[in-house]
Amino acid sequence: MPVAVFEMPDGAEQVLDVPDDWSLMEAARRDGLEGIVAECGGGAICGTCHVQVDPRWYASLEAPGMMEEALLEVVPERCATSRLSCQVVMTPALDGIRVRVPSSQLEL
Amino acid sequence: MADLLSTHVAIIGTGHAGVECAWALRAAGFEGDIMLLGAEPHPPYERPPLSKGLLTGTTSADRIALRAGDTYEKQGIRYSADDPVASIDTAARLIHTQAGRRIAYQHCVLATGASARGIAGLAGDHVHAVRGLDDAHRLRDAIRPGHRLLIVGAGYLGLEAACSARKLGAEVCVLEQQRGVMAGKVSAPTAERMETLHRHAGIDIRHGVAVTGWQRTPDAWRASLACGGVVDGQQVLVSIGAVADTRLAEAAGLECRDGIVVDEQCRASAPGIYAIGDCASAYRAELQRHARVESVQNALMQARTAAAVIAGKRPPAAKPLTFWSEQHGRRLQMAGLVHPALPCDDHVHATAKGWLVERYQQGRLAALEAVDSPVEFIKGVPRIGTPPVHV
């Protein structure tokens, strides 16, 4: 099964199995990963599943939709490779993708 | 002699609140034993999709699981399913389950949720509620293209189920006693606009309609209306609100008034007992009274609060309550509570994709509604409780 590597604010790494066609948020929630709150269940409306994608992987992702783009404008610790993990859907090409959980996510 | 187990924390109920509380305890550094006691046979799952994606089939039971099966063990959380708690002895700090287990605890968190309110005389194979996974599967199997689903109650759940049933090709008629849809929950402008969407989707919404009786005909349920006339449906969904599951708490002698009464730290009226989520009635300063709140965000917040108190950490800062719904592909987000007895001054603003309603009471922003406007919503929530901004 493809995996995604989540780097936590304290530097610890968590390697999660992500079935094809599942979002990174779904996999993180299933594992109970701290900091991926996903209050809205994955609708790109609450902005509580923000991750910073490793720049080497960012270009492999489809561009964010308008709603996600707008939400990324208002999340704390936004960077050039920020995404909502509920909108990043696993494909075979993304096996091994690395993302960082911003520390502000732990305070939600 | 029945098994005697012991744990530092026993959490009764495995919805969003119960599961989050177990994880929040670990996140807070709590190292003691945690037991998560489930009454249902299913592993813990998300409830919001039950009336939406799970009903229409765009998602499935395995995808709405809250946690993967092996994560409980990894976190050192002893999860058990299918064994409802029978009673709690708060003096002896002992839980008895229906299967005969006895569990000694130091802290007991009640996260028992709420059950669908029923209608007297309306029961049986063709009558539905949507609170659990089995309910949703049963309703889904009963919905047939061309058959009519009668929905009693035009709240969030009833309207979401109406959209789902319509997508599956059913005829849908919604009966609501009050004037307007989502009465008392959203502003009149939002209610009217959402009602228009439902009508355009072919849903027959009748509000301000009282049902005086139910009769079983050979192939349908027939509702008699106070205004005269009848309406038939092969299936009936009752969505007229939920009642807090306080049976255990009441039998244990805990103070209950439409929910288990708790303080701002989620402590109930006996030592070592907490209540969180849909079953808990906490003091709400904005309403100047205790109230139950049914919302995922509230369940998560109360779960983290109880976990922090048990772990001896500082509870998270209070935040405005938020709610959301999805109807006909439009996303409705709400924040804050409106005091039902006070007048409300609603300001509607058009946004790029939808609209925003600021709801003022006594000169302060009491609540916010946003349809397809998540950015405006996120920016607006911190203003709840403050006077209007004059530009």
Side-chain angles (χ1 to χ4, degrees), chain B residues 184-366:
Chain B
K185 300 283 186 193
V186 302
S187 66
T190 294
E192 284 157 17
R193 292 174 189 200
M194 294 307 289
E195 184 182 333
T196 302
L197 283 179
H198 288 286
R199 292 198 188 283
H200 285 166
I203 295 169
D204 176 10
I205 294 190
R206 307 187 195 182
H207 51 73
V209 167
V211 178
T212 53
W214 290 92
Q215 191 192 349
R216 185 77 191 130
T217 71
D219 57 356
W221 276 99
R222 173 166 294 168
S224 302
L225 309 179
C227 54
V230 295
V231 50
D232 285 357
Q234 280 86 5
Q235 306 289 333
V236 184
L237 168 64
V238 180
S239 52
I240 54 171
V243 186
D245 283 330
T246 55
R247 187 187 53 82
L248 278 176
E250 282 178 51
L254 298 171
E255 187 186 355
C256 295
R257 269 178 279 121
D258 178 34
I260 304 163
V261 176
V262 295
D263 66 12
E264 65 279 5
Q265 298 198 314
C266 299
R267 292 179 194 271
S269 61
I273 304 260
Y274 307 76
I276 58 175
D278 287 8
C279 70
S281 180
Y283 185 76
R284 304 287 171 185
E286 56 274 58
L287 302 179
Q288 293 159 327
R289 62 174 169 85
H290 279 70
R292 276 191 331 109
V293 173
E294 293 176 15
S295 120
V296 170
Q297 180 245 14
N298 174 60
L300 298 177
M301 280 297 290
Q302 290 187 326
R304 290 178 205 136
T305 299
V309 172
I310 291 168
K313 297 282 164 68
R314 188 213 302 252
K319 278 191 289 189
L321 292 164
T322 62
F323 310 83
W324 66 280
S325 178
E326 197 176 298
Q327 297 168 27
H328 302 295
R330 307 217 67 169
R331 284 151 181 175
L332 174 57
Q333 291 171 281
M334 289 139 294
L337 288 176
V338 165
H339 195 304
L342 296 174
C344 203
D345 184 14
D346 294 330
H347 298 218
V348 185
H349 308 273
T351 62
K353 295 257 175 151
W355 67 90
L356 185 76
V357 184
E358 294 174 321
R359 313 198 69 192
Y360 290 95
Q361 289 190 308
Q362 297 186 306
R364 290 179 183 279
L365 184 64

Side-chain angles (χ1 to χ4, degrees), chain A residues 3-58:
Chain A
V3 297
V5 183
F6 284 75
E7 189 190 322
M8 304 306 287
D10 64 2
E13 286 189 358
Q14 305 259 14
V15 183
L16 304 190
D17 291 333
V18 189
D20 274 337
D21 202 33
W22 281 43
S23 72
L24 298 192
M25 179 282 287
E26 285 178 291
R29 186 186 58 197
R30 287 256 300 183
D31 215 69
L33 197 78
E34 200 188 351
I36 302 296
V37 179
E39 255 157 31
C40 76
I45 54 171
C46 72
T48 61
C49 67
H50 170 211
V51 293
Q52 299 166 342
V53 180
D54 185 313
R56 285 166 296 175
W57 287 95
Y58 185 77

